[in-house]
Amino acid sequence: MSEKYKVIDSTVPTFITITVVDWVDLFTRPVYCNILDESLNYCIKEKGLSVHAYVYMTSHIHLIVTAFDSELQNIIRDFKKFTSKKLIEAIKEHTESRREWLLRKFSFEAQKTGRTKNYKLWQDGFHPFILDTLEKIEQRVNYIHYNPVDAEIVFYERDYVNSSHRNYEEDNTVFYNVNVEPL
């Protein structure tokens, strides 16, 4: 396997992308984003993950993270496994117009790979990219926060709810769903 997609040092800020299989637009409802919030906060509190920037797009999430108490790849593996189960439960339990389609899609993906029992929600991997210079960090933080504008979801970065942009503004007095440690 190439060194390009391995976490070499979990203590160095790392840009990662976690993507829903086939880029399915799943994160269109608050209930699904709340599961991501709760899971990230658990990883922060219990596993030593530091989240420096994030954005939840409809089909993927971008994070800049570090981990001092554990290996980053193990934390992300556990995060994906846990959120996959919780998201499938939420699809089944809450009002979801696409329920049957989503469950069939994720079931098909599981059968296709043959590695999971019932459902496969996340694509394999998370494409870590080490941010070892200030220039790389600034570029990725800006990329994360501008992503919803680029996707034409909002006009201004600060207006997107599922992002850490407000953590980077001066005079931030807003309550945040994820405990972000700006770089």
Side-chain angles (χ1 to χ4, degrees):
M1 182 181 274
S2 168
E3 292 289 319
K4 184 177 179 184
Y5 292 120
K6 289 184 181 178
V7 177
I8 306 301
D9 183 352
S10 296
T11 65
V12 175
T14 304
F15 173 83
I16 66 173
T17 301
I18 305 173
T19 308
V20 178
V21 293
D22 284 345
W23 296 81
V24 169
D25 289 321
L26 179 60
F27 304 113
T28 58
R29 302 189 191 289
V31 65
Y32 305 140
C33 294
N34 291 341
I35 290 169
L36 297 178
D37 290 342
E38 291 168 8
S39 298
L40 280 176
N41 281 321
Y42 176 85
C43 290
I44 290 166
K45 184 177 179 187
E46 301 297 329
K47 295 181 176 267
L49 182 71
S50 292
V51 176
H52 305 289
Y54 75 93
V55 67
Y56 308 154
M57 298 302 288
T58 59
S59 62
H60 61 285
I61 64 177
H62 292 301
L63 303 164
I64 295 176
V65 292
T66 54
F68 290 93
D69 299 338
S70 184
E71 294 295 323
L72 184 57
Q73 57 267 20
N74 295 339
I75 296 171
I76 300 304
R77 177 200 62 217
D78 295 348
F79 172 82
K80 288 171 69 174
K81 183 176 181 181
F82 180 79
T83 55
S84 179
K85 289 178 184 176
K86 290 303 251 183
L87 289 163
I88 294 296
E89 287 174 14
I91 292 167
K92 290 178 178 179
E93 292 173 7
H94 293 86
T95 302
E96 173 57 72
S97 59
R98 304 170 302 151
R99 176 183 297 132
E100 297 305 317
W101 179 83
L102 287 168
L103 294 174
R104 274 196 315 270
K105 175 65 179 161
F106 299 143
S107 176
F108 172 78
E109 292 298 326
Q111 292 171 11
K112 190 167 78 171
T113 63
R115 291 188 311 200
T116 55
K117 291 182 181 179
N118 300 316
Y119 302 100
K120 179 173 174 59
L121 190 135
W122 297 112
Q123 288 183 13
D124 292 338
F126 55 94
H127 302 287
F129 182 81
I130 298 295
L131 305 177
D132 54 0
T133 67
L134 185 57
E135 182 180 348
K136 288 179 185 177
I137 290 170
E138 288 176 353
Q139 188 275 332
R140 293 301 165 120
V141 167
N142 291 335
Y143 173 82
I144 284 173
H145 293 151
Y146 194 72
N147 213 295
V149 176
D150 195 39
E152 298 181 354
I153 297 170
V154 294
F155 289 112
Y156 304 103
E157 296 100 322
R158 70 178 172 273
D159 295 334
Y160 195 65
V161 175
N162 295 309
S163 163
S164 60
H165 182 271
R166 291 181 183 160
N167 294 76
Y168 281 81
E169 291 182 322
E170 288 185 42
D171 304 329
N172 85 35
T173 56
V174 180
F175 173 76
Y176 300 102
N177 294 330
V178 175
N179 297 316
V180 173
E181 297 177 17
L183 291 164

